[in-house]
Amino acid sequence: MKKVSELNNLPACAIIYSPYHTQHEIWPSSLQVQRVLKKFKTMLEIKHSRKMVNQESLLRQRIEKANEQLKKQRKENREKESDWWR
C-alpha cells in the first residue's frame, strides 16, 4: 500500500488479494479504481485507432506504389512492342 500511495500523482489504483484474508483491499477507493480502469481502456482504444489509421495510410501508399509500377511496366511493354514491329 505504501508504494502505491507514493504514486498518488499518477492515475493509479490497487486491488490487493491476500491468502491470509478473505476480504481484498482496494486503494484508494472502488470509485477511483473504476475511473482509472475507464481511463486505461480509453487510452487503449485511442492507441488502437491510431494503429488502424497508420495501417490504412500504409496500405494506401502500397497501392499507390503498385499503381506507379504498373504504369511504368505498361509503358515499357508498349515500347518493346513498338520496337518489335519495326
Side-chain angles (χ1 to χ4, degrees), residues 17-22:
Y17 291 92
S18 169
Y20 307 109
H21 300 94
T22 57

Side-chain angles (χ1 to χ4, degrees), residues 4-5 7 9 11-12 17 21 23 25 27 29 31-32 40 43 46 53-54 73-74 85:
V4 176
S5 65
L7 299 174
N9 290 340
Y17 291 92
H21 300 94
Q23 196 69 354
E25 290 185 61
W27 181 88
S29 69
L31 183 60
Q32 188 65 20
F40 180 71
M43 288 170 52
I46 290 170
V53 170
N54 290 341
Q73 190 62 49
R74 284 179 176 164
W85 286 103

Side-chain angles (χ1 to χ4, degrees), residues 14-65:
I15 303 172
I16 303 165
Y17 291 92
S18 169
Y20 307 109
H21 300 94
T22 57
Q23 196 69 354
H24 58 273
E25 290 185 61
I26 298 176
W27 181 88
S29 69
S30 295
L31 183 60
Q32 188 65 20
V33 169
Q34 290 174 357
R35 286 181 185 153
V36 169
L37 292 176
K38 185 177 179 181
K39 186 173 183 177
F40 180 71
K41 184 179 177 185
T42 303
M43 288 170 52
L44 289 177
E45 290 171 355
I46 290 170
K47 188 174 182 180
H48 178 71
S49 66
R50 283 184 190 157
K51 285 185 179 180
M52 292 299 289
V53 170
N54 290 341
Q55 288 177 353
E56 182 180 347
S57 64
L58 177 65
L59 288 175
R60 287 180 191 265
Q61 289 173 356
R62 286 185 177 178
I63 290 170
E64 187 177 317
K65 184 175 180 179

